[in-house]
Amino acid sequence: MAHDFPPLTNDLILRTARGEDVERAPIWIMRQAGRYLPEYHEAKGGRDFFECCRNPEIASTLTLQPIERFAGLLDASIIFSDILVVPQALGMVVEMVEKQGPHFPEPLKSPDDGQYSKVINKNVDVAAELDYVYKAITLTRKKLNGRVPLIGFCGAPWTLFCYMVEGGGTKLFIQSKKWIYRYPDATKALLQKISEVCVEYLALQVQAGAQLIQVFDSWAGELSPLTFKKFSEPYLAYIAENLPKRLAEKGLERVPMIVFPKGANYALDSVCNLGYDVVGLDWLIDPAEAVKIRGNRRVVLQGNADPGVLYGTKEAISETVKEMVEGFGGGKKGWIANLGHGITPFVNPDDLKFYLEEVQRLTSK
């Protein structure tokens, strides 16, 4: 189904992601649509978090809030949704508990717990199960009116797997480690299942209007270099290889693909070979070091200021941006500015505005 969207007036991030020379570094912020914005709470009202995700009108309103507040300062929007809609599509119950985060009342306990075989064998109708996401994307593209491109996303298989076995966020990752060291084959089978759903989900997001996609491997850093190569990297590679094929089958053009394996800077060299156009970096790696590791490969880097700098002074923000711009080579090629992870809930929006302005100022020189 072809959509008639308004023409794009700012394609800076798309040109950068394709490796072109640009006039300045594009910038967007992970979790830019979210709790730090007062208008987010007004629009959300008394609705449950997932209720907002499932309501295309609300999801599109939330997606557009930072674009409207920071007009001319953000070069991309990212659809308001959550990585955990994929486990929901796989048949698992996920709730968002106020002040606690996501909660799975019945996480996967072992390959023999009954639920595992149901998830593995479920014939997931990705189009029907996640239809509300595609509707939100199409509506948002129309409302954006060509101002900036729209990013679609999913969680990486390893990160989704962690949530599915832990039952929510965790600091110890006991269940995840139990699975990979006790049930490696069953773990790999589930990771493959998740990967296949992710490919179809991302393809349908592009069909609905997403112009770039990002794969969030938020828990990549919980793996060792050895286990990352076994339980994360092959499935990130599967998505990078198979999404363009799926888009071609649908008669759709390939879109730039971003991967963000948070905490896995030890694997940056091999991640640059996975087939993604852009590799996201957290704040635990020096930009100049990342550039050195990338070498002359046609991979664009994204990131990577410490999100905590937004609680600092303007001087601290300026200094951080200056060092980041210099480390990434000035911002005229090969770098998309962002934070090293999502913006946190108590940031003053004016401090984010200053950060965005500084990135523009220092990369426009």
Side-chain angles (χ1 to χ4, degrees):
M1 182 176 68
H3 297 284
D4 188 19
F5 294 122
L8 199 53
T9 56
N10 175 355
D11 65 347
L12 182 61
I13 194 169
L14 297 176
R15 287 185 284 125
T16 304
R18 290 193 293 259
E20 296 176 21
D21 292 330
V22 289
E23 55 276 21
R24 65 169 173 83
I27 183 162
W28 69 282
I29 301 294
M30 288 180 275
R31 295 201 194 117
Q32 64 188 32
R35 290 179 290 168
Y36 74 103
L37 292 173
E39 55 267 38
Y40 166 85
H41 299 280
E42 287 168 27
K44 182 174 181 280
R47 294 177 189 85
D48 163 78
F49 175 83
F50 282 116
E51 203 182 325
C52 293
C53 294
R54 290 190 196 105
N55 183 320
E57 189 61 54
I58 299 292
S60 71
T61 295
L62 297 173
T63 302
L64 287 167
Q65 285 178 342
I67 303 303
E68 280 156 5
R69 178 184 273 262
F70 305 116
L73 291 172
L74 287 166
D75 298 298
S77 53
I78 181 165
I79 195 67
F80 181 84
S81 186
D82 195 86
I83 64 171
L84 298 180
V85 299
V86 167
Q88 288 175 333
L90 284 162
M92 296 188 76
V93 174
V94 190
E95 302 160 349
M96 195 62 76
V97 180
E98 198 67 38
K99 295 185 179 166
Q100 272 185 283
H103 172 65
F104 289 66
E106 291 181 53
L108 299 173
K109 299 271 195 314
S110 79
D112 306 316
D113 77 351
Q115 190 180 192
Y116 174 86
S117 59
K118 278 186 194 166
V119 170
I120 280 282
N121 295 315
K122 184 176 181 189
N123 185 11
V124 185
D125 186 341
V126 186
E129 294 277 1
L130 298 170
D131 181 59
Y132 57 89
V133 178
Y134 320 130
K135 284 194 167 99
I137 286 172
T138 303
L139 182 59
T140 303
R141 271 293 301 275
K142 287 176 179 165
K143 285 187 185 177
L144 275 167
N145 199 30
R147 280 174 282 180
V148 292
L150 178 61
I151 302 170
F153 69 92
C154 73
W158 163 251
T159 291
L160 296 176
F161 168 84
C162 288
Y163 277 108
M164 289 162 73
V165 301
E166 296 289 349
T170 176
K171 288 184 178 169
L172 298 177
F173 291 85
I174 293 166
Q175 302 308 321
S176 310
K177 300 299 172 78
K178 192 185 283 184
W179 273 79
I180 66 172
Y181 292 118
R182 287 190 182 194
Y183 320 120
D185 292 341
T187 298
K188 288 174 181 175
L190 182 52
L191 288 165
Q192 180 60 29
K193 174 76 173 186
I194 297 167
S195 304
E196 289 164 11
V197 172
C198 286
V199 166
E200 187 64 17
Y201 178 43
L202 292 170
L204 288 163
Q205 288 186 58
V206 173
Q207 185 172 297
Q211 291 149 292
L212 307 87
I213 63 90
Q214 175 155 317
V215 179
F216 285 86
D217 208 352
S218 310
W219 300 126
E222 291 305 317
L223 291 165
S224 68
L226 177 66
T227 52
F228 182 79
K229 286 215 172 296
K230 289 182 181 177
F231 298 105
S232 176
E233 211 170 74
Y235 307 98
L236 294 175
Y238 179 88
I239 294 171
E241 185 183 342
N242 288 280
L243 176 57
K245 290 179 186 172
R246 189 67 185 109
L247 292 175
E249 285 169 8
K250 288 176 164 288
L252 298 165
E253 286 183 23
R254 187 187 185 283
V255 299
M257 302 182 294
I258 310 167
V259 65
F260 178 49
K262 182 177 177 289
N265 295 319
Y266 54 76
L268 179 56
D269 184 43
S270 58
V271 168
C272 283
N273 292 330
L274 291 181
Y276 289 87
D277 305 278
V278 183
V279 174
L281 306 169
D282 63 31
W283 68 98
L284 301 177
I285 187 167
D286 179 63
E289 178 63 20
V291 168
K292 194 170 153 190
I293 292 167
R294 173 184 62 189
N296 60 7
R297 286 174 284 192
R298 284 194 57 144
V299 172
V300 173
L301 299 174
Q302 176 177 279
N304 74 329
D306 176 359
V309 76
L310 298 178
Y311 294 112
T313 61
K314 286 190 169 179
E315 291 74 22
I317 293 171
S318 289
E319 183 188 359
T320 298
V321 173
K322 183 171 178 287
E323 287 182 7
M324 182 172 66
V325 170
E326 286 171 3
F328 283 115
K332 301 288 195 259
K333 186 174 185 175
W335 173 48
I336 296 167
N338 206 308
L339 296 173
H341 198 212
I343 189 168
T344 49
F346 305 106
V347 166
N348 181 330
D350 290 338
D351 292 325
L352 175 60
K353 184 179 184 217
F354 181 72
Y355 176 78
L356 301 175
E357 288 170 341
E358 284 296 271
V359 171
Q360 273 203 10
R361 180 177 74 84
L362 290 166
T363 64
S364 297
K365 287 181 175 180

